Structure formats: structure tokens, C-alpha cells
Amino acid sequence: MSKTLVTANSNVLDDSVIIPVHFIKIEYTSGTLYLNTSDRDIVFDSNTYVGGSGIANISSIEESQELQASGIQLTISGVSSSNVSIALTENFKNKDATLFLGFLNTANYTLHADPFIIFKGKVDTQNVQIDGDTATIVIEIENRLIDWERQRISRYTNNDQLQKFSGDVGLEFIQQLVEKELFWGVEN
């Protein structure tokens, strides 16, 4: 998929020194987590992305011409024990996650332009490895296309209808029609 850059971000690529910064946004149930790979906090889109947050590694992003699902792995190291309990108790499955890329101005360390999205997906797994007072968290984020591979088993039964829409009686007599012999256009 081709990505277009705004002029300010495109012009940065011609500079002799480039300071790229990744921004990660994970929308957990208890609140949204905003992190960046720089050494300072940066405000982007009215949100403060915490710098020096220990983002140790972001795996490469794979793109292809085929319609296929791919994911990335985000490793956060040096997480304090107080934040480990949040990571262990938070409901993370299928929460939205977005990875942005932006460029800092070399003179004053401000953003040249708004960062652009380079990956968007859903949190799949979140592994916590505790090492004494700190921990490492490895977050697997899958492309939204992974949901296409999930089987959807649904039947036109009264029970399925009631699970989706409680109180709906539209399929109440559907079971009786299964074995019903109908004579179309013929008098009984």
C-alpha cells in the first residue's frame, strides 16, 4: 500500500541529519497508552506521548501485493513493578493499536509535521517477563485483516437470533418449518 507524505515530512528526508520518532497508541479499557521512542515527552494530536518509555524494539512491518494479514511485535523494557500489575490485569485482547512515524526538527526537537500512520491493528498477545524490580513486556499487534480468518458460525435459529437481539421473536417458529411439507400452488 503506498503512503503519501505531507510536504514537511517529505522534505525532511532530504536533510543530512534525520531524527525519526515512532509513536505508539494502544487503546486499553482503562485508558489509552501513549508512548514514543524519543528521550522526551511530545504532544501530538492533543495527547502527550511519553518519551523515555523503554520502547526497546519494534519489529519490521511487512507489506505485500497480496491481501494478507501480518503483524508487528513491540518490546517495552525497564517497566517498573508498579506498572507491571496494570499490564497483568488489563484486558488487552483485540484493543486498537496504532503506530505512527514522525520526524523531529534537529534545532529544537519539535515535530516537523504530524506523524503519519505506518501500522494499525489489534493487540493479540501481551507477554510479561519479570526480572527483579523491572519487567519486559512483549506486545504482539496483528493487522485488522487477521479477523477475516476467524470463522463465523451463525445459524438462522431462534436461539442465535435471541443472542443477537434479545426479545426478537422473528425466528420463533423457524424450527417448525424445518420438517413442514408445503404444497405450493396446490389446494390441500
Side-chain angles (χ1 to χ4, degrees):
M1 176 174 100
S2 64
K3 294 180 176 31
T4 55
L5 298 176
V6 295
T7 306
N9 280 332
S10 182
N11 290 341
V12 170
L13 299 176
D14 294 330
D15 293 350
S16 59
V17 177
I18 300 174
I19 305 174
V21 178
H22 287 95
F23 296 84
I24 185 78
K25 176 171 89 170
I26 303 176
E27 300 175 37
Y28 290 116
T29 305
S30 63
T32 305
L33 177 66
Y34 301 100
L35 304 173
N36 79 67
T37 57
S38 76
D39 61 348
R40 62 197 67 213
D41 294 352
I42 299 174
V43 176
F44 155 58
D45 199 23
S46 301
N47 298 307
T48 301
Y49 287 77
V50 178
S53 54
I55 297 176
N57 186 31
I58 299 172
S59 66
S60 62
I61 300 170
E62 296 177 18
E63 292 186 355
S64 69
Q65 296 294 335
E66 290 102 35
L67 188 62
Q68 66 181 18
S70 61
I72 62 169
Q73 188 178 66
L74 171 69
T75 305
I76 304 171
S77 62
V79 179
S80 66
S81 58
S82 61
N83 291 328
V84 170
S85 64
I86 296 169
L88 291 172
T89 59
E90 181 69 42
N91 179 18
F92 60 85
K93 193 74 170 171
N94 289 324
K95 299 301 176 193
D96 290 329
T98 309
L99 180 64
F100 301 88
L101 177 62
F103 301 101
L104 294 182
N105 185 324
T106 56
N108 57 10
Y109 294 97
T110 59
L111 286 170
H112 276 284
D114 282 347
F116 55 96
I117 296 173
I118 58 173
F119 189 84
K120 192 167 190 167
K122 304 259 185 202
V123 176
D124 185 31
T125 61
Q126 183 169 285
N127 297 320
V128 179
Q129 298 145 357
I130 300 172
D131 302 320
D133 292 341
T134 63
T136 300
I137 301 173
V138 179
I139 303 171
E140 299 272 345
I141 303 170
E142 293 295 336
N143 189 297
R144 294 176 294 176
L145 288 176
I146 198 77
D147 195 40
W148 280 14
E149 297 174 6
R150 183 175 54 90
Q151 291 184 355
R152 287 166 178 78
I153 300 171
S154 183
R155 310 263 189 263
Y156 287 107
T157 64
N158 190 42
N159 287 340
D160 273 5
Q161 187 70 7
L162 289 174
Q163 284 178 353
K164 293 177 187 170
F165 308 100
S166 65
D168 187 350
V169 293
L171 297 178
E172 184 176 14
F173 301 108
I174 198 77
Q175 186 62 34
Q176 296 172 9
L177 292 175
V178 172
E179 300 296 327
K180 183 91 172 159
E181 189 173 336
L182 298 174
F183 299 99
W184 214 245
V186 179
E187 289 186 35
N188 291 355

